[in-house]
C-alpha cells in the first residue's frame, strides 16, 4: 500500500510538516503499545494478527461439501456482513454473492424471490448467536427454503462463537461450523472465518489475500514515515484535531464501492467516542465528481478527502470517432479517462486548499486487497491510540441493541423505556 500525504500538508485545516514530525514521537509510543497488544493477543489487537493466525485449511474444509453453488447468501449485520461483501465485490468470481444485513420486509422478500435457493449456500454469521436481525432473517430464509422444497441443512454454513443459539443449531443439525476468532471485533474480521468462506466459494485466492495482509503488517514501524498504514492513521488524526471532522473516502474503482461502506463502519464504530472521531462519508470516483465534489471543494473547510485506486488494472479502448469535440477521446481508453479524472479531482481539491490523501495498491488482486484492508485496520488502531479512545468497544451500538430487544419482549432492559420518552414536535 502506498500513501501520499503531500496534498494534506498546509491546506485548510492546516497541517504543517513540522506537526507530523512532532506527532511521530507519539506514533512510536503507540506502535509499541500496539505491538504489546498483538504479542499478548489482547482483545482487538488480536485482529492485527489474523494474517498469521487465520487458518485457510479450516475454511476450505468447512465449505468443501458445497458443490459449485450458483449463489452465496451471507446472513449477518455490520462487520458480520460487510467484510464478506467487500471481498466478494473487490475480488469478483464466478459465484454471485448477496447479503441480508437489514430487516426491511420488502427488501428481504425481493431478494429471496430472486435467488435460486436450491443452488444457494447460506452463510449465517453472529458471534453471540443472539443477534436479533441476523436470527430473524435466517428464520425467514430457512422457511423460504422449506417452502421451495430445499433441505436447508444441506445448504447452510454457520460462523459463530462457542455458545448461543447458532452454535446449538449447528450442533443439533450437524451443520458445518466455523469459530469466530477470539478477541476480534466484527468490524476487524474481514480477514477471518467471518468473511473468508465467501471468498473461497467464489474462487478467490485467500492465501494471496492473507499474504498481502502479512506484507502490510510487516511494514508497521515506529515511525509514520516508514509505515503507510501509520502515515494514513496519523494524518487523519492530526487533521481531525485541527477541524477536518469529515473523512470522505472516494475509491476510483467500482469494485471498491463496498470497501467504502466497510471503511465507514470501521472508522465510525471504532473512533466515535468521547466527543471525538472523524465522520466517514462515502463517495465513488468518477461518479461523485458530478455531485459530492462540489461540496468537498467549495463547502465548509471541515473535510479530508481520501482518494483510493489501484495503480494497474484492466482497460477498455475507446473507439475512434469523427464527432465534433470528441476526437480527443477516440483512440484512448476508459482507464486513461479514469486516471485523468482521478488526477483532476486531486488537483482540484489541492487548488481549493482542501486536504486530500492518495492511497494506492499495485492491483486489485487478492494480494492488493489484503494490503488495503489490513492497512486501514492498522491505521484505525493507531488513530484510536493517538486519540486515547477505546477503539474496540461500541457502547452506543450495544445500547441500541438492548433497547430494541426490550421493545420486542426479549427481556427487561431499561434502555427500552427511553423510547417512550421521545420528544415530539409533529407537523401534519
Amino acid at each position: 500500500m502506498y500513501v501520499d500525504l503531500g496534498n494534506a500538508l498546509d491546506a485548510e485545516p492546516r497541517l504543517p510538516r513540522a506537526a507530523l514530525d512532532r506527532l511521530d514521537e507519539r506514533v512510536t509510543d503507540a506502535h509499541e503499545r500496539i505491538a504489546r497488544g498483538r504479542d499478548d493477543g489482547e482483545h482487538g489487537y488480536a485482529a492485527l494478527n489474523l494474517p498469521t493466525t487465520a487458518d485457510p485449511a479450516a475454511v476450505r474444509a468447512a465449505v468443501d461439501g458445497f458443490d459449485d453453488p450458483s449463489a452465496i447468501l451471507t446472513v449477518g449485520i455490520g462487520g458480520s456482513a460487510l467484510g464478506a461483501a467487500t471481498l466478494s465485490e473487490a475480488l469478483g468470481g464466478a459465484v454471485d454473492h448477496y447479503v441480508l444485513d437489514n430487516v426491511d420486509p420488502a427488501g428481504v422478500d425481493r431478494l429471496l424471490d430472486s435467488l435460486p435457493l436450491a443452488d444457494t449456500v447460506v452463510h449465517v454469521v453472529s458471534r453471540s448467536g443472539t443477534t436479533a436481525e441476523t436470527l430473524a432473517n435466517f428464520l425467514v430464509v430457512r422457511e423460504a427454503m422449506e417452502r421451495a422444497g430445499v433441505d436447508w441443512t444441506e445448504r447452510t454454513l454457520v460462523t459463530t462463537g462457542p455458545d448461543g443459539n447458532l452454535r446449538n443449531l449447528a450442533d443439533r443439525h450437524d451443520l458445518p461450523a466455523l469459530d469466530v476468532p477470539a478477541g476480534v471485533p466484527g468490524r476487524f474480521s474481514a480477514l477471518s472465518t467471518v468473511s473468508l468462506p465467501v471468498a473461497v466459494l467464489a474462487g478467490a485466492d485467500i492465501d494471496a489475500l492473507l499474504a498481502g495482509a502479512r506484507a502490510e503488517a510487516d511494514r508497521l514501524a515506529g515511525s509514520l514515515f516508514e509505515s503507510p498504514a501509520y502515515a494514513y492513521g496519523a494524518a487523519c488524526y492530526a487533521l481531525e484535531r485541527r477541524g477536518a471532522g469529515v473523512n470522505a473516502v472516494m475509491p476510483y474503482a467500482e469494485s471498491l464501492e463496498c470497501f467504502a461502506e466497510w471503511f465507514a463502519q470501521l472508522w465510525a464504530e471504532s473512533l466515535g467516542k468521547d466527543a471525538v472521531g472523524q465522520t466517514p462519508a462515502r463517495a465513488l470516483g468518477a461518479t461523485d465528481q458530478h455531485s459530492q465534489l462540489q461540496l468537498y471543494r467549495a463547502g465548509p473547510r471541515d473535510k479530508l478527502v481520501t482518494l483510493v485506486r489501484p495503480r494497474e488494472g484492466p482497460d477498455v479502448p475507446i473507439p475512434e470517432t469523427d464527432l465534433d469535440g470528441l476526437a480527443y477521446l477516440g483512440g484512448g481508453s476508459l482507464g486513461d479517462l479514469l486516471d485523468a479524472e482521478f488526477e483532476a479531482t486531486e488537483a482540484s481539491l489541492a487548488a481549493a486548499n482542501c486536504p486530500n490523501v492518495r492511497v494506492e495498491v499495485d492491483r486489485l488482486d487478492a494480494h492488493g486487497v489484503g494490503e488495503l484492508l489490513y492497512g486501514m485496520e492498522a491505521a484505525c488502531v493507531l488513530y484510536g491510540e493517538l486519540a486515547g479512545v477505546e477503539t474496540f468497544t461500541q457502547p452506543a451500538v450495544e445500547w441500541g441493541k438492548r433497547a430494541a430487544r426490550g421493545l420486542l419482549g426479549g427481556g427487561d432492559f431499561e434502555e427500552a423505556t427511553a423510547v417512550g420518552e421521545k420528544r415530539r414536535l409533529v407537523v401534519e
Side-chain angles (χ1 to χ4, degrees), residues 235-424:
C236 289
Y237 164 76
L239 283 164
E240 185 265 329
R241 299 308 297 164
R242 287 162 172 78
V246 175
N247 186 351
V249 175
M250 193 171 186
Y252 273 72
E254 286 198 11
S255 62
L256 288 179
E257 188 169 13
C258 194
F259 159 79
E261 294 187 33
W262 171 85
F263 177 91
Q265 184 196 3
L266 178 74
W267 223 242
E269 199 167 42
S270 300
L271 304 174
K273 318 277 172 64
D274 304 326
V276 301
Q278 223 172 20
T279 300
R282 294 169 285 179
L284 178 66
T287 301
D288 286 314
Q289 288 176 220
H290 297 268
S291 56
Q292 298 180 38
L293 183 60
Q294 176 64 40
L295 173 67
Y296 303 154
R297 191 179 193 275
R301 287 292 182 255
D302 60 350
K303 298 171 189 67
L304 160 68
V305 179
T306 300
L307 302 166
V308 185
R309 73 169 178 179
R311 290 183 167 182
E312 303 172 18
D315 209 347
V316 175
I318 301 173
E320 299 281 358
T321 179
D322 57 1
L323 294 174
D324 291 342
L326 295 181
Y328 74 98
L329 292 174
S333 71
L334 293 182
D336 292 338
L337 178 57
L338 189 63
D339 285 345
E341 299 276 16
F342 178 97
E343 290 169 10
T345 298
E346 187 177 52
S348 170
L349 292 165
N353 275 332
C354 176
N356 60 92
V357 173
R358 178 191 289 207
V359 177
E360 296 174 303
V361 292
D362 287 325
R363 289 165 294 279
L364 286 182
D365 55 11
H367 194 280
V369 171
E371 289 182 65
L372 182 61
L373 295 182
Y374 188 93
M376 289 303 177
E377 290 181 358
C380 181
V381 175
L382 177 80
Y383 186 135
E385 295 294 329
L386 295 175
V389 299
E390 295 288 340
T391 308
F392 306 114
T393 63
Q394 51 281 334
V397 175
E398 299 303 325
W399 193 101
K401 287 181 180 180
R402 291 190 295 271
R405 190 166 181 179
L407 289 174
L408 293 168
D412 185 15
F413 297 95
E414 65 180 43
E415 291 84 356
T417 63
V419 176
E421 298 169 357
K422 177 190 178 300
R423 294 185 295 273
R424 298 180 185 276

Side-chain angles (χ1 to χ4, degrees), residues 57-67 69 121 157 176 178 196-198 200-201:
V59 175
R60 293 190 186 98
V63 304
D64 188 54
F66 302 111
D67 297 328
V121 172
L157 166 69
L178 289 164
L196 294 180
V198 168
V200 173
L201 287 166

